[in-house]
Amino acid sequence: MVMRKVAIIGAGMTKFGENWESGFREMVTEAGIKALTDSNVKGDEISAGYVGTMASGSLVGQEHVGALIADYMGLNPVPITRVEGACASGSLALRQGILAVASGLHDTVVVGGVEKMTDLDTNAVGRILGGAGDQEWELFMGATFPGLYAMMARRHMHEYGTTEEMLASVAVKNHYNGARNKYAQFQKEITLESALASKVVADPLKVMDCSPITDGAAAVVLAPLDSASSYTKKPIEVMASEQASGTLALHDRDSITSIKASRIASGRAYKKAGLSPKDISVAEVHDCFTIAEIIATEDLGFFSPGEGGRAALEGRTRLEGEIPINTSGGLKATGHPVGATGVKQACEVTWQLRNDAGERQVRDVEHALTHNVGGSGATSVIHIFRRGY
Amino acid sequence: MKESISLTWRRIPERYRMVGSRCTACGSHYFPPRQICPSCRRKGKVEPFEFCGRGTIYSFTEIHSPPEGFEKQVPYVMAIVELEEGTRCTGQVVDVHRKDIKIGDKVESVFRRILSDDPEGPIHYGFKFRLKK
């Protein structure tokens, strides 16, 4: 079966943060309208939609959100389908949209990601996010998500000599980038000293090693690459969309200093795109915790195993470094509305490839990669993009 | 955190006695139990297996920011324990300070209260670990 090439023709997102004045439906509608306006697509040209959200039922009591969005976007009877893969829900929705356009089933597809998280208190949100792990054999025992990543960090330190300074340097870099992103929750630089002095959440991870609780939504519009230029002067081609699964519980992995699903998905994505890690100009990776970014840069092949922490501390992943990571500010500074994150990553690399990223623009961006992880690594989704013009 | 009584009842063998499973085709051990051996799939034969509860610390953390239901226990130590039979599981380590534990330490399982929903609700029991003297 011959698959069509797919392009992103529009991107848009809400401000990420504690959006108390805005609910689930307002945020997803705002992001959708921004992406559709950016794409120049008319409402009656849209043939399908996919939306990623992890826990709308637990966080705001609302299920059946595909229908809600079709209704409030004024898109009825367009079919809109919800997709869930914990923190990777957004990238899974994007991948479903890509598959739908690539297959020829749908021509113009809108993809959204959204999470409304600040209507509940922190402990309740912590419990709900815990559902991304093994509820009966990790969470019931008292583990938390910071706790699971803390055990990955502890083991990474044990095997490779990674230090708390290396972890903190990831947060410092991401806050620097976030301070240059008008959509970021935290547009404020921090110092290594303040990050190291922040309160312990799950030893060795501190507040400044953790992504925050965030409200937000993001959306992109997809079309066949062949017809993309009739909508926009700057379509972005999807070169690869790959997904892999790993064990749900962290304790069942052969190694907890690497996420095998990310290695497999990125290996397939590089092969599909005909590229190697050296060809990537910028990457948005899943830094739900600082250790996650360090592991991601190793799993994606930018640095060898155990070298990610040192590379971060040396500045090799900064905006002007050899491989700029999380130019948006990442999950750490932009915020992490879980279902929206994967789609936000696609928005950021779209802007980088179009040369529209303002103060945080990286020069000569040719190929961009997104890496979105569900739970402690049970789902990993990789996309690779380039300019389609 | 609220957990249904039927769920707690259903998990009694696993939580009280660490009953997992073993694949007689390849010899792999699994905890918690599985219906299918991921190595052998439908060619495997999985039967119940009671773990001895002894193992070593593979990694650990001290939780300061608890999930609902664990507020009164903080700070507490959680670990991934590598069991003697060759699989790993997650549990709390009791009666220990963060500074007195390291990767590789030997532990044994103990029967403890995990949490209770509320003063009049059911009490959920299960295994935790302690350092082996």
Side-chain angles (χ1 to χ4, degrees):
Chain A
M1 185 172 162
V2 179
M3 301 289 266
R4 301 192 291 185
K5 288 186 174 172
V6 181
I8 291 178
I9 58 170
M13 62 186 281
T14 66
K15 165 93 169 57
F16 278 12
E18 294 184 351
N19 299 342
W20 293 337
E21 74 293 344
S22 197
F24 183 96
R25 67 186 74 186
E26 287 87 3
M27 291 193 301
V28 73
T29 303
E30 180 190 330
I33 288 171
K34 283 178 171 173
L36 287 167
T37 303
D38 186 46
S39 72
N40 301 307
V41 163
K42 295 186 193 72
D44 52 16
E45 292 177 287
I46 298 164
S47 63
Y50 296 88
V51 61
T53 188
M54 172 182 165
S56 60
S58 310
L59 291 165
V60 293
Q62 182 69 59
E63 310 290 11
H64 207 178
V65 300
L68 168 77
I69 293 165
D71 187 3
Y72 273 73
M73 286 282 290
L75 289 176
N76 281 336
V78 170
I80 298 190
T81 305
R82 172 183 172 175
V83 182
E84 192 273 316
C87 329
S89 299
S91 282
L92 288 186
L94 175 60
R95 187 168 141 77
Q96 294 309 307
I98 290 166
L99 296 179
V101 176
S103 71
L105 192 65
H106 292 294
D107 278 330
T108 311
V109 167
V110 59
V111 172
V114 54
E115 215 74 60
K116 177 67 190 171
M117 303 177 73
T118 66
D119 281 356
L120 296 179
D121 68 72
T122 303
N123 287 1
V125 174
R127 173 182 56 79
I128 292 163
L129 293 178
D134 190 326
Q135 169 56 37
E136 293 186 29
W137 297 105
E138 294 181 317
L139 284 304
F140 169 79
M141 297 299 181
T144 59
F145 252 84
L148 295 176
Y149 275 91
M151 290 195 277
M152 295 165 84
R154 172 74 57 211
R155 191 75 201 180
H156 206 276
M157 292 166 143
H158 175 77
E159 290 183 15
Y160 300 118
T162 300
T163 64
E164 294 185 31
E165 286 77 12
M166 292 175 189
L167 298 176
S169 73
V170 171
V172 172
K173 184 262 296 171
N174 287 349
H175 272 257
Y176 179 90
N177 296 351
R180 283 146 186 80
N181 181 355
K182 65 179 178 182
Y183 297 114
Q185 181 166 5
F186 301 125
Q187 298 172 35
K188 186 169 176 272
E189 293 179 34
I190 59 166
T191 62
L192 199 66
E193 294 69 34
S194 67
L196 286 168
S198 62
K199 184 176 167 288
V200 174
V201 173
D203 163 73
L205 300 182
K206 307 164 195 73
V207 168
M208 282 299 168
D209 289 300
C210 306
S211 57
I213 289 169
T214 310
D215 302 323
V220 294
V221 183
L222 305 173
L225 181 64
D226 283 349
S227 57
S229 57
S230 65
Y231 295 105
T232 173
K233 286 181 186 147
K234 294 180 172 182
I236 300 303
E237 180 188 341
V238 180
M239 297 182 76
S241 173
E242 294 291 337
Q243 175 189 349
S245 303
T247 68
L248 184 65
L250 183 65
H251 56 234
D252 280 328
R253 313 258 172 85
D254 293 337
S255 166
I256 64 170
T257 56
S258 167
I259 291 174
K260 193 174 176 186
S262 290
R263 288 189 175 269
I264 292 169
S266 62
R268 287 179 187 158
Y270 287 133
K271 192 175 172 197
K272 177 92 179 170
L275 299 174
S276 77
K278 287 189 186 65
D279 299 316
I280 301 299
S281 321
V282 290
E284 287 286 299
V285 311
H286 197 88
D287 61 317
C288 48
F289 301 94
T290 51
I291 184 62
E293 178 168 320
I294 289 171
I295 289 174
T297 59
E298 297 169 1
D299 287 341
L300 294 169
F302 300 138
F303 305 109
S304 36
E307 288 300 313
R310 203 161 288 111
L313 189 63
E314 289 168 357
R316 294 164 72 188
T317 56
R318 287 185 199 152
L319 284 180
E320 69 286 3
E322 69 202 68
I323 171 71
I325 301 288
N326 284 329
T327 58
S328 68
L331 284 58
K332 174 68 196 82
T334 320
H336 183 28
V338 286
T341 284
V343 184
K344 177 223 82 180
Q345 294 178 326
C347 289
E348 175 67 11
V349 298
T350 294
W351 294 325
Q352 286 287 349
L353 283 160
R354 287 179 181 171
N355 232 6
D356 283 344
E359 261 191 279
R360 61 184 193 284
Q361 181 65 48
V362 174
R363 287 203 301 179
D364 305 324
V365 176
E366 196 176 353
H367 303 112
L369 179 147
T370 62
H371 158 277
N372 192 195
V373 168
S376 62
T379 297
S380 184
V381 192
I382 307 287
H383 286 96
I384 300 178
F385 306 90
R386 70 176 168 194
R387 277 188 294 276
Y389 57 97
Chain B
M1 188 161 90
K2 294 234 188 278
E3 195 178 75
S4 79
I5 293 172
S6 57
L7 194 165
T8 285
W9 168 79
R10 191 160 66 232
R11 293 292 176 230
I12 282 175
E14 294 102 303
R15 287 183 181 167
Y16 287 21
R17 295 184 286 114
M18 292 192 81
V19 174
S21 44
R22 189 176 88 97
C23 175
T24 54
C26 70
S28 297
H29 292 81
Y30 297 104
F31 188 84
R34 289 176 179 259
Q35 289 158 281
I36 290 177
C37 168
S39 301
C40 306
R41 300 204 183 108
R42 279 177 292 167
K43 293 192 184 82
K45 188 173 182 305
V46 171
E47 58 182 33
F49 177 88
E50 191 166 327
F51 283 77
C52 71
R54 291 187 299 273
T56 54
I57 301 287
Y58 184 74
S59 193
F60 65 93
T61 180
E62 186 178 67
I63 306 274
H64 289 249
S65 188
E68 273 178 341
F70 290 84
E71 291 87 348
K72 289 178 182 167
Q73 300 183 34
V74 286
Y76 57 91
V77 174
M78 295 284 320
I80 292 177
V81 172
E82 184 151 297
L83 298 169
E84 271 186 12
E85 294 86 352
T87 189
R88 299 185 198 129
C89 67
T90 302
Q92 287 188 35
V93 185
V94 299
D95 305 332
V96 70
H97 289 290
R98 151 75 191 86
K99 293 198 180 337
D100 300 324
I101 183 170
K102 60 182 187 305
I103 289 174
D105 280 352
K106 290 195 182 313
V107 293
E108 60 191 359
S109 64
V110 286
F111 183 73
R112 288 286 187 277
R113 182 173 76 173
I114 305 289
L115 80 158
S116 46
D117 291 339
D118 58 62
E120 290 174 22
I123 299 171
H124 306 289
Y125 295 95
F127 62 86
K128 296 184 182 180
F129 293 94
R130 70 177 165 210
L131 291 182
K132 215 170 155 211
K133 297 275 169 356

